[in-house]
Amino acid sequence: QVQLVESGGGLVQAGGSLRLSCAASGRTFTTYAIGWFRQAPGKERELVAAISWTDVDTRYAESVKDRFTISRDNAKNTVYLQMNSLKREDTAVYSCAAGRRWGMAILPSDFSYWGQGTQVTVST
């Protein structure tokens, strides 16, 4: 069992930065891939970024490449999402998730455990 708690969301102006944290409980954290997903009102949940349990492989949505960076600190059982150059369209609830599947496509169904989410609002 893995429990996930997100933090770091908030209100930021366009062009600004935020760093989201996903703190996990459980001794087996290092055996899970972690994904950050977001969902805006009226839109489907979408993958933002994911990192494998080995920390070797990362994936990003095209819309956030070169702006967002995912990283993990296994000693702290925490995964981070550094978000720079934020745009209004990045406004959404961001959730982290843990799973043990890692394939060519990263899908929400690959993840077994989810956090409650944290709101990110980008103003112009």
Side-chain angles (χ1 to χ4, degrees):
Q1 191 91 10
V2 177
Q3 292 184 325
L4 305 170
V5 178
E6 302 95 338
S7 62
L11 175 65
V12 64
Q13 287 190 331
S17 298
L18 282 175
R19 188 177 79 158
L20 304 184
S21 297
C22 173
S25 64
R27 297 179 181 178
T28 59
F29 173 72
T30 56
T31 65
Y32 285 88
I34 301 294
W36 280 100
F37 293 82
R38 68 185 180 187
Q39 189 166 21
K43 294 188 177 181
E44 291 188 358
R45 177 182 286 170
E46 63 171 347
L47 174 72
V48 177
I51 188 165
S52 65
W53 48 83
T54 62
D55 197 13
V56 171
D57 197 6
T58 56
R59 307 282 178 83
Y60 294 92
E62 284 296 325
S63 59
V64 306
K65 274 185 180 178
D66 300 324
R67 298 190 298 124
F68 291 11
T69 303
I70 189 170
S71 61
R72 66 189 298 161
D73 184 340
N74 287 337
K76 295 182 178 179
N77 277 16
T78 301
V79 171
Y80 303 99
L81 184 67
Q82 178 67 42
M83 306 187 295
N84 299 327
S85 302
L86 282 161
K87 303 176 181 180
R88 187 174 181 179
E89 51 265 41
D90 294 318
T91 295
V93 174
Y94 285 69
S95 301
C96 63
R100 283 183 165 153
R101 292 185 62 185
W102 189 262
M104 293 299 292
I106 306 297
L107 304 173
S109 57
D110 293 333
F111 297 86
S112 303
Y113 303 102
W114 291 80
Q116 292 296 314
T118 184
Q119 176 71 46
V120 172
T121 303
V122 183
S123 65
T124 56

